[in-house]
Amino acid sequence: MGLLPANKPKKTVDTPRNFFIWGQTMHGKSYLASEFPNPVIFNTDGNADQIETPSVDLKNERDPKTGQIKFSVIDQLNELIKELETTDHGFETVVIDVIDDVVTLIEQAICEEHEVQYIGDIPYGKGFGIFKSIFTALVVKLKALPMNVIYISRYATVTENNVEKPVPSLSVKHLNTVNGNCDMNILCQKIGKNYIRRVVDRRKAYQREWIEDERILAILDTVIGAFDKPTQTSKEEAKKIVEDLEKAEEHSVSANTQEQPKEPPKPRSATPRPPRIR
């Protein structure tokens, strides 16, 4: 038997299992996550004893005498994932609440191990490489679990063309790693007394009839845009969009060029004329 698959179409997995949920504090992020089947929460706020849902505090555990990290969050997460992989625990959903703090805890552990204040202080960019390897491995291990995986992130804003736009507080490079392994990106918002959940991005144009898990279907039915059909862009519309983007890029380059200060002309050095020979 070779390593290649059979040359025929295979059944796809069309029930989303990996979710990125973000929003402002007390806007329903954790509540949405708790609706998923049999969740266990890996949380970073130290409130495990105050949550009814089974939970674990993520932290860099320190030696009370020396103050040094004796069991890092990296080791803790590896042990927790190993238990999820190998034991009959009964959980069906793992929630990382919040992933922003996990990034900070991992960086803290790496910095203390290498006795630096900032991960960039580790020579030759090695610190960033170590972090990327650990963080990517964490996300890949979580995705490989036969469970629902939920990452929760906080809320931030950026200004584009004088318009304030909401974005996850997780930095773009880390967000790309997480989102690249998620099926849906969901923003939670509280508007007045109403809690709104809406899809910002998704891996597929999911259809209700595809979802085999009725419990997941019931949750997604409360999320705006989970099953909206994508709009077809005509060739003319696509061409117009590309032209607008190219014009915007040209304008940006031109503006940057004009803003650069011009060097003042250098004064000419006075060159003495040679004496006239009579």
Side-chain angles (χ1 to χ4, degrees):
M1 178 66 73
L3 298 177
L4 289 172
N7 184 14
K8 60 181 181 180
K10 62 184 181 67
K11 189 180 186 317
T12 59
V13 177
D14 292 319
T15 298
R17 294 294 185 190
N18 297 271
F19 301 86
F20 183 81
I21 300 174
W22 59 286
Q24 296 185 56
T25 302
M26 301 180 70
H27 276 225
K29 305 184 299 295
S30 298
Y31 185 83
L32 172 57
S34 69
E35 292 181 353
F36 281 78
N38 294 319
V40 57
I41 301 176
F42 297 168
N43 74 332
T44 57
D45 58 11
N47 292 328
D49 294 337
Q50 302 175 27
I51 303 173
E52 291 184 358
T53 305
S55 58
V56 177
D57 279 338
L58 295 180
K59 58 186 177 181
N60 286 318
E61 186 178 344
R62 297 182 179 277
D63 187 309
K65 295 181 179 179
T66 65
Q68 295 180 334
I69 296 174
K70 66 177 182 178
F71 189 63
S72 75
V73 72
I74 302 167
D75 299 324
Q76 184 185 18
L77 283 166
N78 283 332
E79 290 296 322
L80 286 168
I81 293 173
K82 185 177 179 180
E83 281 194 43
L84 292 174
E85 290 172 333
T86 59
T87 63
D88 185 16
H89 46 74
F91 296 115
E92 296 179 78
T93 303
V94 57
V95 182
I96 310 297
D97 187 5
V98 294
I99 188 62
D100 311 58
D101 291 345
V102 172
V103 168
T104 301
L105 288 167
I106 292 174
E107 289 182 343
Q108 183 184 72
I110 294 172
C111 285
E112 292 199 22
E113 181 181 352
H114 290 81
E115 299 181 343
V116 296
Q117 294 293 321
Y118 168 60
I119 198 167
D121 293 336
I122 302 175
Y124 310 112
K126 185 179 177 182
F128 296 111
I130 294 171
F131 175 88
K132 183 179 179 180
S133 176
I134 292 171
F135 189 68
T136 303
L138 167 66
V139 174
V140 170
K141 286 179 183 178
L142 286 168
K143 186 178 181 180
L145 293 171
M147 305 173 66
N148 305 305
V149 179
I150 298 173
Y151 301 90
I152 295 179
S153 180
R154 300 189 182 98
Y155 177 99
T157 59
V158 295
T159 301
E160 294 182 358
N161 299 322
N162 296 322
V163 177
E164 195 171 72
K165 175 183 175 183
V167 294
S169 61
L170 188 65
S171 69
V172 173
K173 59 182 178 181
H174 303 141
L175 179 62
N176 289 338
T177 300
V178 175
N179 256 350
N181 289 277
C182 283
D183 302 311
M184 280 193 181
N185 178 315
I186 300 173
L187 170 61
C188 292
Q189 294 175 292
K190 184 181 180 184
I191 302 176
K193 295 183 178 181
N194 300 309
Y195 289 89
I196 307 299
R197 305 161 173 177
R198 64 183 178 92
V199 168
V200 175
D201 201 2
R202 57 186 177 173
R203 185 173 299 280
K204 296 181 181 181
Y206 294 99
Q207 305 299 313
R208 293 188 77 261
E209 58 270 20
W210 295 357
I211 311 302
E212 297 180 353
D213 191 325
E214 293 292 334
R215 299 167 300 175
I216 302 297
L217 178 59
I219 295 169
L220 294 182
D221 275 338
T222 70
V223 181
I224 298 170
F227 300 121
D228 289 351
K229 292 184 178 180
T231 56
Q232 188 71 27
T233 305
S234 68
K235 184 177 180 180
E236 290 74 19
E237 290 173 326
K239 185 178 179 181
K240 179 67 167 57
I241 292 171
V242 171
E243 288 175 352
D244 290 343
L245 288 173
E246 289 176 345
K247 288 179 181 178
E249 290 173 357
E250 290 175 1
H251 178 74
S252 176
V253 171
S254 175
N256 290 336
T257 302
Q258 292 176 4
E259 288 176 2
Q260 292 179 356
K262 296 182 179 179
E263 293 184 3
K266 296 180 180 179
R268 293 183 179 179
S269 58
T271 305
R273 295 182 179 181
R276 295 178 65 183
I277 301 175
R278 296 185 178 179

